[in-house]
Amino acid sequence: EMLEDVREHLPEVKLVLCEPFILRCGAVTKRWFDEMDQRRQVVVGLARKFNAVLVPFQSMFDEAVESAPPAYWAEDGVHPSAAGHHLMAQTWLDHVRTAID
């Protein structure tokens, strides 16, 4: 409803939706992944429906763990470290800049 209200009242605004993510470490267990996959599908669907920029944080972290362990990016698997926040900020900027250029 919120996205519909924004689109109705601000039709020219560019929406940015961020993909939820988890990393395989800390508090995160195997059972978290099915639910998170469903949540990501919802966000992807909303991004399509509202022609929003989608920032793919899960795939970003999936790639990042090839260069450093998951706990480096988010010790508990959910809340990003300083390095995780930096990577997220760069990814967000890259996707938003690409969308508005």
Side-chain angles (χ1 to χ4, degrees):
E1 288 178 19
M2 181 180 74
L3 295 173
E4 289 172 351
D5 286 347
V6 169
R7 182 61 73 217
E8 179 183 337
H9 292 93
L10 301 166
E12 300 302 315
V13 74
K14 189 65 176 173
L15 298 170
V16 178
L17 298 179
C18 298
E19 186 181 60
F21 66 90
I22 50 177
L23 293 150
R24 295 181 188 276
C25 63
V28 176
T29 64
K30 197 174 187 176
R31 67 172 194 220
W32 288 42
F33 283 86
D34 285 341
E35 181 179 341
M36 194 56 69
D37 288 345
Q38 292 172 13
R39 289 178 184 211
R40 269 194 298 283
Q41 288 175 2
V42 169
V43 173
V44 168
L46 289 170
R48 284 188 189 124
K49 179 178 179 179
F50 291 96
N51 193 30
V53 175
L54 177 65
V55 182
F57 286 142
Q58 184 66 58
S59 57
M60 174 208 70
F61 278 121
D62 290 346
E63 289 178 24
V65 299
E66 294 177 15
S67 63
Y72 176 79
W73 305 109
E75 188 172 334
D76 65 358
V78 178
H79 301 96
S81 64
H85 278 292
H86 178 76
L87 185 59
M88 291 175 75
Q90 284 302 128
T91 301
W92 191 94
L93 285 169
D94 291 346
H95 280 79
V96 171
R97 283 181 183 139
T98 299
I100 61 174
D101 284 344

